[in-house]
Short mmCIF file of all heavy atoms in Angstrom, two decimals:
data_model
loop_
_atom_site.label_atom_id
_atom_site.label_comp_id
_atom_site.label_asym_id
_atom_site.label_seq_id
_atom_site.Cartn_x
_atom_site.Cartn_y
_atom_site.Cartn_z
N THR A 1 -13.88 -2.81 -2.27
CA THR A 1 -13.08 -1.59 -2.23
C THR A 1 -13.24 -0.93 -0.87
O THR A 1 -14.29 -1.02 -0.23
CB THR A 1 -13.51 -0.61 -3.33
OG1 THR A 1 -14.90 -0.27 -3.16
CG2 THR A 1 -13.31 -1.21 -4.71
N VAL A 2 -12.19 -0.26 -0.44
CA VAL A 2 -12.22 0.45 0.85
C VAL A 2 -11.67 1.85 0.66
O VAL A 2 -10.82 2.09 -0.20
CB VAL A 2 -11.39 -0.30 1.93
CG1 VAL A 2 -12.03 -1.62 2.29
CG2 VAL A 2 -9.94 -0.51 1.48
N SER A 3 -12.17 2.78 1.44
CA SER A 3 -11.66 4.15 1.43
C SER A 3 -10.30 4.19 2.11
O SER A 3 -9.86 3.21 2.73
CB SER A 3 -12.63 5.07 2.17
OG SER A 3 -12.66 4.72 3.56
N ALA A 4 -9.65 5.33 2.01
CA ALA A 4 -8.35 5.48 2.68
C ALA A 4 -8.48 5.28 4.18
O ALA A 4 -7.63 4.65 4.82
CB ALA A 4 -7.76 6.85 2.37
N GLY A 5 -9.58 5.81 4.77
CA GLY A 5 -9.78 5.64 6.21
C GLY A 5 -9.98 4.18 6.60
O GLY A 5 -9.41 3.71 7.59
N GLU A 6 -10.77 3.46 5.81
CA GLU A 6 -10.98 2.03 6.09
C GLU A 6 -9.69 1.25 5.89
O GLU A 6 -9.38 0.32 6.65
CB GLU A 6 -12.07 1.49 5.16
CG GLU A 6 -13.46 2.04 5.44
CD GLU A 6 -14.45 1.63 4.37
OE1 GLU A 6 -14.17 1.88 3.17
OE2 GLU A 6 -15.49 1.06 4.73
N ALA A 7 -8.93 1.62 4.86
CA ALA A 7 -7.66 0.94 4.62
C ALA A 7 -6.70 1.15 5.78
O ALA A 7 -6.04 0.21 6.25
CB ALA A 7 -7.03 1.46 3.32
N ARG A 8 -6.64 2.37 6.28
CA ARG A 8 -5.76 2.68 7.41
C ARG A 8 -6.14 1.84 8.62
O ARG A 8 -5.27 1.31 9.33
CB ARG A 8 -5.86 4.17 7.73
CG ARG A 8 -4.84 4.64 8.76
CD ARG A 8 -5.03 6.10 9.13
NE ARG A 8 -4.67 6.99 8.04
CZ ARG A 8 -5.55 7.68 7.31
NH1 ARG A 8 -6.85 7.57 7.54
NH2 ARG A 8 -5.13 8.48 6.36
N ALA A 9 -7.43 1.67 8.85
CA ALA A 9 -7.89 0.87 10.00
C ALA A 9 -7.51 -0.60 9.83
O ALA A 9 -7.12 -1.26 10.80
CB ALA A 9 -9.41 1.01 10.14
N ARG A 10 -7.60 -1.11 8.63
CA ARG A 10 -7.24 -2.52 8.40
C ARG A 10 -5.74 -2.73 8.57
O ARG A 10 -5.30 -3.77 9.06
CB ARG A 10 -7.71 -2.96 7.02
CG ARG A 10 -9.23 -3.02 6.93
CD ARG A 10 -9.72 -3.72 5.67
NE ARG A 10 -11.19 -3.73 5.66
CZ ARG A 10 -11.92 -4.62 6.28
NH1 ARG A 10 -11.34 -5.59 6.97
NH2 ARG A 10 -13.24 -4.56 6.22
N ILE A 11 -4.95 -1.76 8.14
CA ILE A 11 -3.50 -1.86 8.32
C ILE A 11 -3.17 -1.82 9.82
O ILE A 11 -2.34 -2.59 10.31
CB ILE A 11 -2.76 -0.74 7.58
CG1 ILE A 11 -3.03 -0.83 6.07
CG2 ILE A 11 -1.27 -0.78 7.86
CD1 ILE A 11 -2.65 -2.14 5.43
N ALA A 12 -3.83 -0.93 10.56
CA ALA A 12 -3.59 -0.81 12.01
C ALA A 12 -3.99 -2.09 12.74
O ALA A 12 -3.43 -2.42 13.78
CB ALA A 12 -4.36 0.38 12.57
N ALA A 13 -4.95 -2.84 12.16
CA ALA A 13 -5.41 -4.08 12.80
C ALA A 13 -4.57 -5.30 12.40
O ALA A 13 -4.93 -6.42 12.73
CB ALA A 13 -6.87 -4.32 12.43
N GLY A 14 -3.46 -5.07 11.71
CA GLY A 14 -2.58 -6.17 11.34
C GLY A 14 -2.54 -6.50 9.87
O GLY A 14 -1.84 -7.44 9.46
N GLY A 15 -3.29 -5.74 9.07
CA GLY A 15 -3.26 -5.96 7.63
C GLY A 15 -1.97 -5.43 7.02
O GLY A 15 -1.13 -4.83 7.70
N ARG A 16 -1.82 -5.64 5.72
CA ARG A 16 -0.59 -5.18 5.05
C ARG A 16 -0.92 -4.62 3.68
O ARG A 16 -1.81 -5.11 2.98
CB ARG A 16 0.39 -6.34 4.89
CG ARG A 16 1.76 -5.88 4.41
CD ARG A 16 2.76 -7.01 4.38
NE ARG A 16 4.08 -6.54 3.97
CZ ARG A 16 5.11 -7.32 3.71
NH1 ARG A 16 4.99 -8.64 3.82
NH2 ARG A 16 6.27 -6.80 3.35
N TRP A 17 -0.20 -3.56 3.31
CA TRP A 17 -0.34 -2.99 1.98
C TRP A 17 0.24 -3.97 0.95
O TRP A 17 1.28 -4.59 1.19
CB TRP A 17 0.41 -1.67 1.87
CG TRP A 17 -0.07 -0.56 2.74
CD1 TRP A 17 0.59 0.02 3.79
CD2 TRP A 17 -1.30 0.16 2.63
NE1 TRP A 17 -0.16 1.02 4.34
CE2 TRP A 17 -1.33 1.13 3.65
CE3 TRP A 17 -2.40 0.06 1.76
CZ2 TRP A 17 -2.39 2.00 3.83
CZ3 TRP A 17 -3.46 0.93 1.93
CH2 TRP A 17 -3.45 1.89 2.95
N LEU A 18 -0.40 -4.04 -0.21
CA LEU A 18 0.07 -4.89 -1.30
C LEU A 18 0.14 -4.03 -2.56
O LEU A 18 -0.88 -3.64 -3.13
CB LEU A 18 -0.89 -6.07 -1.51
CG LEU A 18 -0.46 -7.15 -2.50
CD1 LEU A 18 0.83 -7.82 -2.02
CD2 LEU A 18 -1.55 -8.19 -2.68
N ASP A 19 1.34 -3.72 -2.98
CA ASP A 19 1.58 -2.86 -4.14
C ASP A 19 1.71 -3.74 -5.38
O ASP A 19 2.63 -4.53 -5.48
CB ASP A 19 2.87 -2.05 -3.92
CG ASP A 19 3.07 -0.95 -4.95
OD1 ASP A 19 2.80 -1.20 -6.14
OD2 ASP A 19 3.53 0.14 -4.57
N VAL A 20 0.76 -3.62 -6.32
CA VAL A 20 0.77 -4.50 -7.50
C VAL A 20 1.31 -3.79 -8.74
O VAL A 20 1.16 -4.28 -9.85
CB VAL A 20 -0.64 -5.07 -7.77
CG1 VAL A 20 -1.14 -5.85 -6.57
CG2 VAL A 20 -1.63 -3.97 -8.15
N ARG A 21 1.98 -2.65 -8.55
CA ARG A 21 2.61 -1.96 -9.67
C ARG A 21 3.96 -2.63 -9.99
O ARG A 21 4.39 -3.55 -9.30
CB ARG A 21 2.82 -0.49 -9.31
CG ARG A 21 1.52 0.25 -8.99
CD ARG A 21 1.81 1.66 -8.50
NE ARG A 21 2.68 1.64 -7.33
CZ ARG A 21 3.41 2.66 -6.91
NH1 ARG A 21 3.40 3.79 -7.59
NH2 ARG A 21 4.16 2.55 -5.84
N THR A 22 4.62 -2.17 -11.02
CA THR A 22 5.91 -2.74 -11.40
C THR A 22 6.97 -2.39 -10.37
O THR A 22 6.81 -1.45 -9.57
CB THR A 22 6.36 -2.22 -12.78
OG1 THR A 22 6.64 -0.82 -12.69
CG2 THR A 22 5.29 -2.46 -13.83
N GLY A 23 8.07 -3.11 -10.40
CA GLY A 23 9.16 -2.84 -9.47
C GLY A 23 9.73 -1.45 -9.61
O GLY A 23 10.10 -0.81 -8.61
N ASP A 24 9.80 -0.93 -10.83
CA ASP A 24 10.31 0.43 -11.05
C ASP A 24 9.40 1.47 -10.41
O ASP A 24 9.87 2.45 -9.81
CB ASP A 24 10.44 0.72 -12.55
CG ASP A 24 11.60 -0.04 -13.18
OD1 ASP A 24 12.56 -0.36 -12.47
OD2 ASP A 24 11.53 -0.31 -14.40
N GLU A 25 8.09 1.28 -10.53
CA GLU A 25 7.14 2.21 -9.90
C GLU A 25 7.27 2.14 -8.38
O GLU A 25 7.25 3.16 -7.69
CB GLU A 25 5.72 1.86 -10.31
CG GLU A 25 5.37 2.10 -11.76
CD GLU A 25 3.99 1.60 -12.09
OE1 GLU A 25 3.82 0.37 -12.26
OE2 GLU A 25 3.06 2.42 -12.17
N PHE A 26 7.38 0.93 -7.87
CA PHE A 26 7.49 0.72 -6.42
C PHE A 26 8.76 1.39 -5.88
O PHE A 26 8.72 2.03 -4.83
CB PHE A 26 7.53 -0.78 -6.14
CG PHE A 26 7.64 -1.14 -4.68
CD1 PHE A 26 6.51 -1.19 -3.88
CD2 PHE A 26 8.88 -1.45 -4.11
CE1 PHE A 26 6.61 -1.53 -2.53
CE2 PHE A 26 8.98 -1.79 -2.78
CZ PHE A 26 7.84 -1.83 -1.98
N ASP A 27 9.86 1.26 -6.60
CA ASP A 27 11.14 1.82 -6.14
C ASP A 27 11.09 3.33 -6.09
O ASP A 27 11.75 3.96 -5.26
CB ASP A 27 12.28 1.37 -7.05
CG ASP A 27 12.61 -0.11 -6.87
OD1 ASP A 27 12.23 -0.68 -5.84
OD2 ASP A 27 13.25 -0.68 -7.77
N GLN A 28 10.32 3.95 -6.97
CA GLN A 28 10.26 5.41 -6.96
C GLN A 28 9.50 5.93 -5.75
O GLN A 28 9.94 6.87 -5.09
CB GLN A 28 9.58 5.92 -8.23
CG GLN A 28 9.64 7.45 -8.32
CD GLN A 28 8.80 8.00 -9.45
OE1 GLN A 28 7.76 7.45 -9.78
NE2 GLN A 28 9.25 9.10 -10.03
N GLN A 29 8.38 5.31 -5.43
CA GLN A 29 7.60 5.72 -4.25
C GLN A 29 6.56 4.65 -3.97
O GLN A 29 5.95 4.09 -4.88
CB GLN A 29 6.92 7.06 -4.49
CG GLN A 29 6.32 7.67 -3.23
CD GLN A 29 5.88 9.10 -3.46
OE1 GLN A 29 5.12 9.38 -4.38
NE2 GLN A 29 6.34 10.01 -2.62
N HIS A 30 6.37 4.36 -2.67
CA HIS A 30 5.38 3.36 -2.28
C HIS A 30 4.92 3.64 -0.85
O HIS A 30 5.42 4.55 -0.19
CB HIS A 30 5.96 1.94 -2.39
CG HIS A 30 7.18 1.72 -1.56
ND1 HIS A 30 8.46 1.94 -2.05
CD2 HIS A 30 7.34 1.31 -0.27
CE1 HIS A 30 9.34 1.67 -1.11
NE2 HIS A 30 8.68 1.30 -0.01
N LEU A 31 3.97 2.85 -0.39
CA LEU A 31 3.50 2.98 0.98
C LEU A 31 4.37 2.15 1.90
O LEU A 31 4.81 1.05 1.55
CB LEU A 31 2.04 2.53 1.08
CG LEU A 31 1.04 3.32 0.24
CD1 LEU A 31 -0.38 2.81 0.44
CD2 LEU A 31 1.11 4.82 0.55
N ALA A 32 4.63 2.67 3.09
CA ALA A 32 5.56 2.04 4.03
C ALA A 32 5.13 0.61 4.34
O ALA A 32 3.96 0.33 4.55
CB ALA A 32 5.63 2.86 5.31
N ALA A 33 6.12 -0.30 4.38
CA ALA A 33 5.94 -1.71 4.73
C ALA A 33 5.09 -2.48 3.72
O ALA A 33 4.63 -3.58 4.00
CB ALA A 33 5.35 -1.86 6.13
N ALA A 34 4.89 -1.90 2.53
CA ALA A 34 4.11 -2.59 1.50
C ALA A 34 4.92 -3.74 0.91
O ALA A 34 6.14 -3.66 0.76
CB ALA A 34 3.69 -1.63 0.40
#
């Protein structure tokens, strides 16, 4: 597990968000480029 700050650093280093919720949840709101 990583904190929000650690997650932000991994995304900045080339990582990517992975949203594992349903498509309906994702369509309502999600993190950019997930």
